[in-house]
Amino acid sequence: MTSFKHLMVMAVLLFAVGCQSLNQPEPDSLYEDLGQRAGIAQIIEDMLYGVVDDTRIAFQFKGVDIVELHQGLTDHICQLSGGPCTYSGRDMREAHKDMNITATQFNALTENLILAMEKNRISTSAQNRLLARLAPLHSEVRNL
Amino acid sequence: MKRLLLAWITLALLTTGHALAAPGSRLWATGGVTSIEGSAGGGLVPWALLSGYASDQEWSGTLALSQASVDDYTVSFTGASINWHNRVELSVGRQTLDLDTLGAALNEDELTQDIFGVKVRLWGDVLYSPYGQWAVGIQHKRNREFTIPSAVGARDETGTDLYLAGSKLFFAAAFDRNVLVNATLRGTKANQGGLLGFGGDQGDRYDMQLESSVGVFLDRRWLTGVEYRQKPDNLSFARESDWWDVFVAWVPNRHLAITAAWVNLGDIAGLKDQQGAYLSLQGSF
């Protein structure tokens, strides 16, 4: 009988521990899966190489300080992916206010980002999780 | 012969794809594929997505050939569409039901109809809008032979379906894969999609039918999923069934989409449980 009680107590404890570990927020693996800050910096660099060759959007980047843009985008993605970075630039609506970004241009940038992630062998899972965090910025970037 | 020619043109467009202008800026596979009625969608269900890849400053078009070979029939579709600014989709096509089993008895090889479609995107973007993308559409269908539909009790040889569709992609929604969900509400009088005419002795009113699809992107080139399409039952001579299918679509680039499916068209004109393989080839430009 006591052994049965012991079993029950053990079961309840295990269940409680199990629940607790389920409730604990997982450490954010997206930042790791993107290759930490260095990996993100490489993705952004490859994306920007794609952008300057892309006639749909290259003109939107004329006169932009590319080094500063690279730093800002890297910090932003690093922060969004749960990494130890702080993006201190302008918010997305403010930064794109006068650019009249069309759906075509927004799609072109997303395409260049995805191709850059593929080039850096980022898993489909990590690509999707990053896109999930970026998609809500659409309305701010396009000033909708 | 005409189908062969179209297949050749489609393939020619694909193989010379790199020489053509890009077919548009929307992301891979976000134009869906060409449904069996010519509107962008899955195989059996129109979605809120517009055909091809045109974004808000672009044009695009598609050509498609599809065939479903079920137990006693073969359903084929040949069609084309254009998309203006991801706002309006115009489609045209011909659908044929080969009466493989019944043909000799009925002294008719096939039933054919022409389908003219218009779809307008009302609001939203399937990828980025929190409430997804919404579109309304019509499919105007005209039977080319009405003898058999008339004999089994159909009232009209032409009919127009109206539909409202919503589509939304959820990023990283299942096992970190992107999930595409579609729901379509259709008003229709069509018997077997219109191949057996419109309206009948059991009803000559518009029926509201629900159609839906769920697909999972395994990666950006492979989409697999299921579709379900409710259907009216206007003719007393034979019970009409709902349709469903399980599909895999391969979209290697913006020029080509190949869809394979297992379709279940249920009972058709008294022949039970019509199932079989579906294959569709779509070229975009």
Side-chain angles (χ1 to χ4, degrees), chain A residues 56 101-108 110-112 114-115 118 124-129 131-132 135-136 138-139 142, chain B residues 22 24-28 54-58 125 127-129 171-173 175-178 217-221 254:
Chain A
R56 294 171 297 180
I101 293 172
T102 64
T104 303
Q105 292 161 11
F106 192 91
N107 281 323
T110 310
E111 178 180 334
N112 281 298
I114 292 171
L115 292 175
E118 285 187 352
T124 302
S125 155
Q127 289 187 36
N128 293 344
R129 283 180 289 146
L131 293 172
H138 171 258
S139 59
R142 291 200 50 214
Chain B
S25 292
R26 278 153 60 221
L27 292 177
W28 307 277
S55 198
D56 60 350
Q57 297 167 289
E58 303 163 334
D125 182 288
L127 302 181
Y128 309 122
S129 300
F171 286 106
F175 305 102
D176 291 336
R177 291 301 179 272
N178 301 336
F217 278 96
L218 304 177
D219 62 23
R220 72 173 169 86
R221 293 176 182 86
R254 286 196 182 90

Side-chain angles (χ1 to χ4, degrees), chain A residues 74-143:
Chain A
T74 303
D75 283 340
H76 198 175
I77 302 277
C78 172
Q79 183 179 354
L80 272 175
S81 66
C85 312
T86 309
Y87 171 67
S88 53
R90 292 177 295 170
D91 77 50
M92 289 297 101
R93 193 171 286 279
E94 177 66 20
H96 300 89
K97 185 174 61 173
D98 300 318
M99 292 176 73
N100 293 318
I101 293 172
T102 64
T104 303
Q105 292 161 11
F106 192 91
N107 281 323
L109 188 71
T110 310
E111 178 180 334
N112 281 298
L113 172 64
I114 292 171
L115 292 175
M117 288 195 286
E118 285 187 352
K119 187 177 174 211
N120 286 277
R121 300 183 181 282
I122 303 301
S123 68
T124 302
S125 155
Q127 289 187 36
N128 293 344
R129 283 180 289 146
L130 179 60
L131 293 172
R133 296 184 196 191
L134 290 171
L137 301 177
H138 171 258
S139 59
E140 297 173 35
V141 169
R142 291 200 50 214
N143 205 15

